[in-house]
Amino acid sequence: MTVFTVDQRDYAARAEAVAEEFTDDAYTWEGSVPWENLQRLAEKDLYCPSISEEYGGQGRSDLAALLLIEAVGRACPDTGWFTYMQSMVGPRAIDLFGSEAVKSEYLPAVTAGESFVSIAISEPQAGSDVNNMSTTVTEEDGTLVCNGEKTWVGGVPFGDAAVTWVRFPEGLGSVVIPYDDDGVEIEEVYTNMAGYAQTRFSINDVVIPDDHVLTRGKDAFKRQLISLNWERLGSSALTVAWAATALDRALAYASEREQFEQKLDEFQGIEWKIAEMYRNVETAASLIYGCAAGAQGHEEPPSRLRTSTAKLHCSQIAEEVVSEAVQVVGARAYQQGHPLEYLYRFARSRRIAAGTDEMQLNTIARALKADGLPAVSER
């Protein structure tokens, strides 16, 4: 495992201590927002650590955000998801690329644990094919106007705005669109396996103020694409957290449950399962923090090759480990309302969200074809 600094270890320990307060209500949220948990993290100067201090964050590194996501995600899967989304996704894009006006408008409420900003990328026809997006921003008499449709957007019922990927005449870019704009219409709301709403909404002649444009032009949008490397690591830290807590529950159950006059954890078959589960959790965590430790913030982020590898591996490991934990516990874990059943519904999502397994495989293969295998000195 990567050796962290004293400050990073202290930060992680503080996060673990506060997150312990969330365990009593964990696995009960079922699609509602744990606002009190988010606000508790904010009160303790833990929430949104990599967002700038002037907007309520701590101005820490993205590595600190990964440590927070894992610590919180182990205690409460819902609070972990919100921590990831608001530390590494939509609000982080605003902090990195936004104007002073749009940062001041949205970030203070987010970092206080009182607001949610979504990310809106997918479209009904384009899916994962970003280059086929049809949501456009055109210039009409000096005014920017957006039209299009987005789907699978999380957080709309309780959110305030979405960082929305769009097509400008000169290429791809991104803007911030508030949900209360008259031109935003909710077309359909789906409930996913984890119990959360995902929304399809249309954008009809929404005027985009200049200060709500985040990225425009090839070079600017390229920077946003690079920032996805950190988002992939954030998703990876979240999945490792869920896998680790599943393993912990399997260990506890196996040490107490008796069958055939001996404890479950005395059967070699169960011992091997537990050993394999730990191997998977530990190698996944090492992959994440190894990527993060070798990067220098957003100026020199981890490579797309390594972060896509981490995202792919950790997403698959999470599903596998949680599934094996269900197998260890047996029928109880298969019942609705059991923490492991709850975790499985969460874990399965990460093989689709933040880039599907197949998209990560494409990225890995293309990076290897373009650049070759990294040298030892590049690890």
Side-chain angles (χ1 to χ4, degrees):
M1 178 61 71
T2 303
V3 177
F4 300 117
T5 66
V6 172
D7 179 65
Q8 288 165 345
R9 289 187 178 278
D10 175 68
Y11 179 79
R14 288 197 298 116
E16 289 170 334
V18 174
E20 186 64 26
E21 301 174 14
F22 308 153
T23 56
D24 287 347
D25 291 331
Y27 308 101
T28 66
W29 296 101
E30 289 289 2
S32 58
V33 187
W35 291 118
E36 53 265 49
N37 293 352
L38 307 183
Q39 290 161 17
R40 180 64 172 161
L41 290 170
E43 290 168 5
K44 291 295 185 178
D45 295 326
L46 292 165
Y47 198 48
C48 299
S50 56
I51 287 181
S52 303
E53 289 182 273
E54 55 264 47
Y55 306 108
Q58 283 82 57
R60 290 177 173 268
S61 67
D62 293 282
L63 175 55
L66 299 179
L67 292 169
L68 177 68
I69 291 163
E70 185 182 357
V72 173
R74 285 194 183 197
C76 175
D78 297 82
T79 309
W81 182 80
F82 279 89
T83 300
Y84 154 66
M85 289 295 292
Q86 300 306 271
S87 296
M88 310 272 310
V89 191
R92 187 65 171 133
I94 292 175
D95 190 39
L96 286 171
F97 310 118
S99 65
E100 177 66 31
V102 79
K103 291 179 186 179
S104 298
E105 183 176 357
Y106 291 106
L107 294 183
V110 166
T111 57
E114 298 171 352
S115 175
F116 185 92
V117 172
S118 309
I119 185 80
I121 300 175
S122 292
E123 297 180 4
Q125 301 304 317
S128 297
D129 185 3
V130 174
N131 288 320
N132 198 33
M133 286 195 317
S134 59
T135 298
T136 59
V137 173
T138 56
E139 196 159 346
E140 302 175 13
D141 298 324
T143 299
L144 297 176
V145 179
C146 184
N147 285 279
E149 190 174 30
K150 294 294 179 179
T151 193
W152 310 121
V153 183
V156 177
F158 46 77
D160 291 320
V163 170
T164 307
W165 286 24
V166 298
R167 183 175 300 281
F168 287 95
E170 65 270 32
L172 296 175
S174 58
V175 300
V176 178
I177 295 180
Y179 293 134
D180 62 3
D181 190 286
D182 290 340
V184 175
E185 293 188 15
I186 306 302
E187 302 292 347
E188 196 168 2
V189 178
Y190 322 91
T191 301
N192 63 26
M193 285 174 62
Y196 281 93
Q198 291 182 285
T199 302
R200 178 171 67 88
F201 64 84
S202 59
I203 305 162
N204 307 292
D205 293 328
V206 171
V207 174
I208 307 295
D210 289 341
D211 57 20
H212 277 51
V213 175
L214 298 184
T215 55
R216 181 177 183 178
K218 183 176 180 180
D219 290 341
F221 191 68
K222 183 178 179 181
R223 289 180 60 219
Q224 186 154 26
L225 288 175
I226 291 172
S227 77
L228 292 181
N229 293 342
W230 283 111
E231 181 185 340
R232 293 186 188 105
L233 288 188
S235 176
S236 301
L238 185 62
T239 53
V240 163
W242 294 341
T245 196
L247 171 56
D248 192 50
R249 287 183 174 276
L251 276 168
Y253 182 83
S255 69
E256 297 171 359
R257 175 68 168 167
E258 288 191 8
Q259 290 281 275
F260 306 102
E261 298 182 350
Q262 68 183 58
K263 296 290 180 65
L264 276 187
D265 64 1
E266 295 173 359
F267 289 91
Q268 189 177 63
I270 299 298
E271 287 182 323
W272 285 1
K273 280 185 182 294
I274 288 171
E276 286 290 338
M277 291 160 73
Y278 174 74
R279 175 175 66 87
N280 285 332
V281 170
E282 187 66 10
T283 55
S286 296
L287 188 57
I288 296 166
Y289 293 114
C291 286
Q296 301 296 321
H298 272 76
E299 292 72 29
E300 295 181 42
S303 71
R304 62 174 181 157
L305 172 62
R306 298 191 70 196
T307 55
S308 285
T309 302
K311 167 64 171 65
L312 175 68
H313 180 70
C314 294
S315 298
Q316 293 181 346
I317 286 306
E319 185 184 5
E320 180 179 336
V321 169
V322 176
S323 180
E324 284 293 82
V326 170
Q327 194 70 21
V328 170
V329 175
R332 290 174 178 82
Y334 190 63
Q335 303 305 303
Q336 288 186 353
H338 191 282
L340 289 174
E341 178 266 343
Y342 198 101
L343 273 173
Y344 186 84
R345 290 188 281 121
F346 267 77
R348 187 60 183 87
S349 70
R350 303 320 298 176
R351 292 186 59 190
I352 301 171
T356 64
D357 287 3
E358 292 75 17
M359 292 300 295
Q360 305 311 323
L361 287 166
N362 287 345
T363 298
I364 292 166
R366 289 166 185 167
L368 288 171
K369 288 190 291 184
D371 305 319
L373 194 66
V376 174
S377 60
E378 295 174 339
R379 286 192 176 278

